[in-house]
Amino acid sequence: MYNKEFSDLLVEKRESVLILTLDNEPMANAITDSMIDSIETVLAHADEDDEIRCIILTGAGKFFCAGGDIKAMESKSGMFAGESNELRRRYNRGIQRIPRAIESLKTPIIAMVGGAAIGAGCDLAMMCDLRVSSERAKFAETFSKLSLVPGDGGTFFLQRVIGYTKAMEMFLTGDIYSGEQVKEMGLSNYQVSHDTLLDFTLSLANKIASNAPIALSLTKMALKSGRTSSLNDQLELLSTMQGISQRTADHFEGISAFKEKREAKFTGK
């Protein structure tokens, strides 16, 4: 599966980590219909692959993702063809498949941002569980500059990463944020030098992958559910999940490793 060629997407498996690279460099990795198909296909497969314990999403070249294709917007072509109702349906059937695919993932996913993440590209980074960026990273919600709204779900994701007030600031101003602003606003979990970006992100992904995968998946699902559920609903969900995790072989391996003062070797069973 991972050795196949995918349109506008490079796929590389490194042991238990899968690296997905947006590969539309001449267009600053702008999102295309074929890229959407590729991302959805690979994520669906990876999430059911027990060998994959963490996913890294990044962009080829100098950009993470520049969002939508401006030329296609101007010419009303491709994913931007048609009048209002057709466009609405294109968004439902097109780019909105990406947030649905990422939000449904049980596998942890990290955005590795070493360049501009603009508009839908910024939203794409915010859809991921964690973000690692370098000093070359730039984040911006520039929809207002083009008289657009974030049709890919940005209003849902951004405020859950940096809070309502800062998200409102980004959307209303359309400003570009970089350097210290990225760290201060919490747009990234980690900011590292560009030369160490890949090594650091891989190290983080491997650290995550070394933990008990069943417990990680259940915890991730509970965190996402907890954003919208009541306390009682969350407690009921957690008691169910704890009942599952506490009878896994990995749980008892974790206890043995703790008692023996060694690193646990989790198998996902």
Side-chain angles (χ1 to χ4, degrees):
M1 169 68 178
Y2 308 123
N3 294 325
K4 290 174 55 179
E5 288 192 6
F6 294 92
S7 183
D8 294 339
L9 187 72
L10 300 177
V11 181
E12 180 186 2
K13 183 176 181 290
R14 296 199 185 185
E15 297 181 351
S16 58
V17 176
L18 192 68
I19 304 175
L20 307 183
T21 304
L22 307 180
D23 188 32
N24 185 19
E25 196 173 345
M27 296 168 58
N29 298 324
I31 296 171
T32 63
D33 284 322
S34 56
M35 183 186 290
I36 294 167
D37 291 339
S38 297
I39 291 172
E40 185 180 47
T41 299
V42 175
L43 287 182
H45 183 86
D47 208 35
E48 296 302 322
D49 184 348
D50 291 339
E51 291 186 3
I52 302 300
R53 298 191 181 183
C54 193
I55 300 167
I56 295 173
L57 179 64
T58 190
K62 297 180 180 179
F63 297 89
F64 177 73
C65 177
D69 179 1
I70 298 293
K71 291 182 179 179
M73 292 181 193
E74 184 179 22
S75 63
K76 299 181 181 179
S77 61
M79 67 171 67
F80 304 111
E83 297 307 315
S84 293
N85 191 54
E86 182 178 348
L87 277 168
R88 177 185 67 82
R89 294 173 64 193
R90 284 184 181 277
Y91 271 86
N92 285 334
R93 297 189 306 238
I95 196 170
Q96 290 182 355
R97 286 155 52 201
I98 294 179
R100 290 191 182 102
I102 293 178
E103 185 69 3
S104 66
L105 281 175
K106 300 182 291 294
T107 308
I109 182 169
I110 303 169
M112 185 175 74
V113 185
I118 307 298
C122 181
D123 295 338
L124 182 59
M126 300 305 133
M127 294 173 199
C128 297
D129 299 319
L130 299 174
R131 282 150 296 283
V132 180
S133 64
S134 78
E135 71 276 6
R136 299 182 190 178
K138 297 179 180 180
F139 295 87
E141 295 286 7
T142 53
F143 295 96
S144 61
K145 301 290 187 183
L146 297 173
S147 189
L148 293 171
V149 298
D152 60 334
T155 52
F156 179 90
F157 294 101
L158 183 64
Q159 64 178 307
R160 285 165 167 78
V161 174
I162 63 172
Y164 172 84
T165 303
K166 281 297 182 182
M168 187 69 78
E169 174 188 315
M170 287 187 69
F171 281 120
L172 294 186
T173 65
D175 286 346
I176 296 174
Y177 298 80
S178 60
E180 288 299 315
Q181 293 173 304
V182 172
K183 294 169 63 177
E184 292 172 1
M185 292 175 66
L187 286 164
S188 285
N189 298 86
Y190 306 91
Q191 181 123 351
V192 300
S193 70
H194 195 79
D195 291 341
T196 63
L197 180 60
L198 177 58
D199 287 343
F200 181 92
T201 308
L202 276 170
S203 176
L204 176 63
N206 284 318
K207 178 190 287 188
I208 292 170
S210 71
N211 289 324
I214 295 174
L216 282 184
S217 294
L218 292 175
T219 301
K220 174 177 171 173
M221 293 164 63
L223 277 167
K224 288 184 175 294
S225 171
R227 296 185 302 196
T228 56
S229 66
S230 67
L231 174 60
N232 284 336
D233 287 345
Q234 184 74 178
L235 291 174
E236 183 61 34
L237 176 65
L238 289 169
S239 63
T240 301
M241 289 180 167
Q242 189 74 312
I244 295 170
S245 64
Q246 207 156 359
R247 288 297 174 264
T248 61
D250 278 349
H251 168 60
F252 293 100
E253 163 61 11
I255 292 174
S256 296
F258 177 79
K259 290 171 64 178
E260 296 166 13
K261 298 181 180 180
R262 60 173 175 81
E263 291 291 324
K265 296 180 179 179
F266 297 117
T267 62
K269 297 180 180 178

